[in-house]
Amino acid sequence: MTTAMLFCGAFMFTSCGDDDITVDRDYTSVHYTVTPGIGLMKFYTIKAYYTDFNGVDHEEEVKDVTTWEYREKKEGTHKIQCRVVATVKSKEEYGEIDASAYDFNWEYSIHWYKKEGGAHSEQPITSPNYISKDNVPSYLEAHPAITLISFNK
């Protein structure tokens, strides 16, 4: 068999019946992830606020996990809304400052699709934010609340 015949056969195989395939891309999907550093988990209460595609608002505490995530896909066009906020805990809640330094960094990703806008991703590369034991109290005072994600599409 010649190369030309193989190419034509492959072309006919892949193109045959394409007109019969209906691809429905009329949906909205979203996938959020947040991975807080050890310092954020110890010293802050982290809450995710999001609206699902049925229009229901949710408030979910991010605790006892390495990574928090939420995923949803539904037919039609829907509003995508999520905010994740870290609020300083009281001294009684977070206890002793016993490590030599804490990582107050976080990583997140957002992947979404809407028919009118296509597929997109947001996944910034972050640098470590280590705060020494002696500087933790002043860091907490200067940052009583930190917005980890604020997303609205």
Side-chain angles (χ1 to χ4, degrees):
M1 204 182 278
T2 68
T3 304
M5 288 173 56
L6 284 172
F7 177 77
C8 286
F11 177 77
M12 286 177 25
F13 179 74
T14 58
S15 64
C16 189
D18 281 352
D19 294 338
D20 298 335
I21 298 172
T22 304
V23 178
D24 180 13
R25 290 197 170 100
D26 183 18
Y27 65 88
T28 303
S29 69
V30 68
H31 182 205
Y32 311 109
T33 65
V34 176
T35 305
I38 298 296
L40 283 177
M41 292 298 289
K42 177 172 175 61
F43 296 101
Y44 287 83
T45 298
I46 302 171
K47 290 191 177 181
Y49 305 89
Y50 60 93
T51 304
D52 68 24
F53 294 161
N54 292 320
V56 177
D57 293 329
H58 297 267
E59 177 183 319
E60 189 175 320
E61 189 169 348
V62 178
K63 65 179 185 179
D64 302 327
V65 295
T66 304
T67 299
W68 172 83
E69 69 178 306
Y70 175 77
R71 184 186 306 255
E72 185 173 12
K73 179 178 178 181
K74 188 173 180 181
E75 285 185 33
T77 300
H78 304 278
K79 189 167 188 64
I80 300 173
Q81 216 169 348
C82 182
R83 190 169 50 92
V84 180
V85 178
T87 307
V88 171
K89 295 177 181 176
S90 69
K91 288 181 183 181
E92 294 77 33
E93 289 175 296
Y94 64 72
E96 293 295 316
I97 302 174
D98 48 6
S100 60
Y102 291 93
D103 181 8
F104 283 86
N105 190 33
W106 67 93
E107 295 178 1
Y108 75 90
S109 67
I110 304 169
H111 306 283
W112 73 97
Y113 172 84
K114 280 187 157 187
K115 182 178 182 178
E116 69 275 1
H120 301 276
S121 288
E122 203 175 283
Q123 192 168 0
I125 296 171
T126 57
S127 300
N129 183 21
Y130 288 99
I131 306 297
S132 69
K133 176 181 183 172
D134 295 338
N135 292 327
V136 167
S138 60
Y139 181 87
L140 297 176
E141 187 176 321
H143 302 91
I146 302 170
T147 300
L148 309 183
I149 294 178
S150 182
F151 190 77
N152 192 351
K153 292 285 180 189

